[in-house]
Amino acid sequence: MSFGFLGIQMGFALQNANTSRIFETLGADTKNLAIYWLAAPVTGLIMQPIIGYYSDRTWSMRWGRRRPYFAIGAVLATIALLLMPNSPTLWMAVGVLWIMDASINITMEPFRAFVGDLLPDEQRTSGFAMQSFFIGIGALVASFMPWIFTNWLNIPNTAPDGEIPPSVKYAFYVGAIMYLITVLWTVFTTKEYPPEPDENHDAPAMEASEEPFFSSKFMRVGLILTVIGIAFSAFVYNAEIDPQLHVLGGGFAFFGIIHLIGGRLVKARKTAMALVHIVKDFNTMPKTMIQLAVVQFFSWFALFSMWIYCTPAVTSHIYGSSDTTSAAYNEGADMVSNLFGGYNGIAAIAAIFIPFIARKTSRRFTHLIALCLGGLGLISMYFISDPQLLWVSMIGVGIAWASILSVPYAILSGALPSDKMGYYMGVFNFFIVIPQIVAASLLGFILNTFFGGETIMILVTGGVSMIISGFLTLRVNDTH
């Protein structure tokens, strides 16, 4: 049931390790990298709860509940992976990133619910750890592919100005094929349990007696969020500060408008509509999920800091070059790709031991230690001048990555109602996407305003954020 994650993570790793490189090659200014990455999370923010909501309500005797979404996402992601390294212009690369990230989310989100559907609570830590294992192996192979093509097959890793190196192109081609094959393997070799007899997805989102309360709450929350969004954007405009911050204001306003629409639908007694279910369930999340959301925010903010800025940080701080046509820059960019493969390899190994450590201690303590090691790994990169020492930093990052991909989901799945597993897993991904939006909106501003363009300081910031998330784990209620 987890084998498809091998291909999914190959695609995700190729995206994370090479997208900034592709953007810079096509003429992107380093200061604007974060804003170009925004296309992907904005799409994911909209699609994830929708995919989760409808996958909960899908059932076919032949194809099951989650597997149709695996297949559709795999086909779309394969196409996007083939297009990405052949983008002739920056705007096309940003658009393809949008499609690619959305497609990966269509596949990945139901995979999380898949484990929750099929395994009892006492096996879920091992189940999600197995996903982490395949994620680590897939990302390890994908991240090293450009280096393998260059050093083993003598395929060039440089190209004329404005062109993507052939080694990167071939890596994306192999990743696309593997994505499709592994996901379809899971589609055709697994079976799903039919819905529980008491599942009734056509029922209204609330009782009639609850309608006045939720209508008032949705309208109140919607108005507050909308006002905050407009006021924040007005402040950014009048203060003439980084326009990327408008994205945050737009995000608040968007969620506010969704709540206002939900409130109007409840007032009109249209409580069986999907939007009302989505808004109501969002406002009644289990307590454990809310606590984990804060942990996820800080840990994923750290990860996006690394994914967005690791290439320019390593190439400029350690290799001393920001010229995308230079040998030094491309050597550093290849090193980043290898490092990303390395921490995923560490994650694959760590995933084997995480269930054992969690059983001997607790899932919360295990996550705390893993995140602190990851944070220290990111911070240590500031003090390194020898590129080979970066491998030591990646040990901590890899352990943290293994835990991030398994422990929160294992804790969460035990706190969710089975008939809303897909939806809440989709909403839980909000707390992956929201920190990405915040990172893309704020990091460019922070980089230029406080760090004088020194991208290595963004990695230090990410390390501090990851350590904070580790200690916040101690606040989470874990019933297991």
Side-chain angles (χ1 to χ4, degrees), residues 10-28:
M10 288 184 73
F12 198 52
L14 286 167
Q15 171 186 300
N16 289 335
N18 295 283
T19 296
S20 291
R21 178 181 188 175
I22 290 172
F23 285 170
E24 288 188 296
T25 299
L26 295 175

Side-chain angles (χ1 to χ4, degrees), residues 392-405:
V392 179
S393 301
M394 289 299 107
I395 293 174
V397 173
I399 294 171
W401 180 230
S403 190
I404 288 169
L405 293 173

Side-chain angles (χ1 to χ4, degrees), residues 1 67 84 129 149 155 162 197 214 391 395 416 424 437 448:
M1 74 175 70
R67 289 177 294 149
M84 187 65 174
F149 282 128
I155 296 174
F214 280 108
W391 292 106
I395 293 174
L416 299 181
Y424 274 126
I437 293 174
N448 299 319

Side-chain angles (χ1 to χ4, degrees), residues 105-371:
N105 280 313
I106 291 173
T107 316
M108 187 184 296
E109 190 282 325
F111 255 103
R112 297 295 189 190
F114 200 47
V115 170
D117 291 340
L118 300 183
L119 295 180
D121 185 55
E122 61 270 17
Q123 295 181 6
R124 285 173 182 164
T125 302
S126 297
F128 286 112
M130 183 56 65
Q131 286 190 349
S132 295
F133 173 78
F134 281 114
I135 287 170
I137 295 298
L140 173 66
V141 174
S143 298
F144 274 103
M145 277 198 293
W147 184 88
I148 290 171
F149 282 128
T150 298
N151 292 276
W152 292 4
L153 302 178
N154 295 318
I155 296 174
N157 75 332
T158 58
D161 190 26
E163 294 185 18
I164 311 302
S167 61
V168 175
K169 288 186 176 182
Y170 285 115
F172 272 83
Y173 298 158
V174 173
I177 294 169
M178 288 298 296
Y179 195 113
L180 188 64
I181 291 173
T182 57
V183 173
L184 291 183
W185 174 273
T186 296
V187 170
F188 289 113
T189 60
T190 55
K191 301 293 183 182
E192 298 183 67
Y193 298 129
E196 296 292 334
D198 60 347
E199 287 188 21
N200 181 13
H201 294 295
D202 296 324
M206 62 197 70
E207 300 291 337
S209 60
E210 297 176 312
E211 290 177 3
F213 170 78
F214 280 108
S215 175
S216 174
K217 180 176 182 178
F218 294 170
M219 296 298 289
R220 182 174 64 254
V221 172
L223 183 62
I224 292 171
L225 290 175
T226 303
V227 170
I228 289 174
I230 294 172
F232 184 80
S233 289
F235 169 75
V236 171
Y237 177 79
N238 291 324
E240 297 182 349
I241 56 181
D242 198 324
Q244 297 182 53
L245 296 174
H246 283 300
V247 177
L248 279 180
F252 279 114
F254 174 77
F255 273 102
I257 292 169
I258 292 297
H259 274 76
L260 291 172
I261 295 172
R264 295 295 299 175
L265 289 173
V266 173
K267 189 169 289 188
R269 310 205 69 178
K270 298 180 179 179
T271 56
M273 294 188 67
L275 182 64
V276 178
H277 278 277
I278 289 171
V279 175
K280 190 254 186 179
D281 288 340
F282 182 81
N283 281 271
T284 55
M285 287 186 288
K287 183 179 180 180
T288 297
M289 184 171 174
I290 296 172
Q291 294 167 333
L292 282 170
V294 182
V295 175
Q296 290 288 87
F297 178 88
F298 283 97
S299 56
W300 283 89
F301 181 85
L303 290 171
F304 287 118
S305 300
M306 178 183 71
W307 289 334
I308 295 172
Y309 284 103
C310 195
T311 296
V314 169
T315 54
S316 61
H317 183 72
I318 297 175
Y319 284 83
S321 176
S322 298
D323 179 4
T324 60
T325 63
S326 69
Y329 175 90
N330 281 282
E331 183 181 352
D334 282 348
M335 182 62 171
V336 170
S337 184
N338 293 346
L339 291 170
F340 281 15
Y343 83 70
N344 278 285
I346 294 295
I349 298 171
I352 298 172
F353 296 98
I354 282 176
F356 173 79
I357 298 172
R359 283 195 299 269
K360 293 296 182 181
T361 57
S362 71
R363 294 191 288 208
R364 294 185 304 172
F365 180 77
T366 302
H367 203 45
L368 164 66
I369 297 302
L371 292 176

